[in-house]
Structure formats: structure tokens, C-alpha cells
Amino acid sequence: EDSVTSIGVYAFFGCKNLLGIIIPDSVTEIGLNAFKGCTSLTTAPLLPATTLATKCYSGMFMNCTSLTNAYVKAAYTEEGTPCHNMFKGCTATGAVLHTTLDNKDSWQDMMGPDKEWETWTVADDWQD
């Protein structure tokens, strides 16, 4: 039996009625802008990968204006690398990124008042 290992570029782009999705553990790569413009999505799928392919997660939830919870185990690195623009245009008040204690600081530099993703805060409450 074959299992899905990747979600393609723009896979769910503009799915305005998408409320949630469960990503199988077999998925090791999620393409650029996969959920971009999914304006009804409130909770992101669990993203347990710790090593990311180039541009993996980049722009993933861009303009998901209702997104209030995301679960990302990987660290944010720097502009132009994995996770770049992941939450750009995600403007819901009180949004929380759930990550690990080890990776919290990397995300904290991007989230909060006067930062790239102003409405977001970071919690170090990742549960394995």
C-alpha cells in the first residue's frame, strides 16, 4: 500500500471553506503556499517535522485570516528559508503558535507586537 509523502505546492490554495485537516505521519514535505488563502481555517494541522526541505512550509498559511492556532515543531530559521512567510497575512487576534521549548526563541523573534506577525504569540507547550 502506497502512502502519501508530500503535499504539493498550492494544494489547498484558496479553499475558503476548509475548516481543518489532518496530515498523515507519512508526509515529510509540504509545498510552498499549500494552504494560502484558506480563510475559514482556524487550527493548523500538526506539523511534527524537525528537519525541513528547502522552502518547505514557506507561505504555507499566508492570508489564512481566521487562523488562531498552529503547531510547528521545527525552528524558524531566517528569511528565504523554510517557514519564510508562513503566517504572513494571518491577522486573527490572539493567535498562538505552539512549539517546543528549544524552538520558542526562534519564533519569538518573528511574533508579537511590532514584529512580522504582530497578532501572534508563542507557547512552548509542544506535546510529543
Side-chain angles (χ1 to χ4, degrees):
E1 180 179 316
D2 292 335
S3 54
V4 176
T5 60
S6 66
I7 294 175
V9 187
Y10 293 100
F12 298 97
F13 175 76
C15 292
K16 299 203 181 313
N17 294 321
L18 182 68
L19 298 175
I21 186 169
I22 296 172
I23 297 177
D25 290 341
S26 59
V27 172
T28 57
E29 186 172 348
I30 299 174
L32 174 69
N33 298 320
F35 298 93
K36 182 177 181 179
C38 294
T39 55
S40 295
L41 187 65
T42 59
T43 299
L46 187 70
L47 302 173
T50 55
T51 303
L52 305 178
T54 303
K55 295 188 179 179
C56 186
Y57 298 175
S58 183
M60 186 175 189
F61 300 109
M62 189 181 291
N63 299 330
C64 290
T65 54
S66 298
L67 190 65
T68 55
N69 281 288
Y71 301 85
V72 184
K73 192 170 188 177
Y76 184 86
T77 51
E78 60 187 52
E79 190 171 319
T81 59
C83 302
H84 177 60
N85 285 331
M86 189 172 185
F87 299 105
K88 185 174 185 169
C90 296
T91 55
T93 302
V96 178
L97 173 79
H98 306 273
T99 192
T100 66
L101 177 61
D102 291 341
N103 293 333
K104 181 179 179 182
D105 288 344
S106 70
W107 287 99
Q108 193 70 50
D109 289 340
M110 297 299 292
M111 297 185 163
D114 301 321
K115 296 184 181 175
E116 184 74 23
W117 300 311
E118 290 190 358
T119 62
W120 287 78
T121 58
V122 185
D124 59 1
D125 57 359
W126 182 274
Q127 300 291 320
D128 276 324

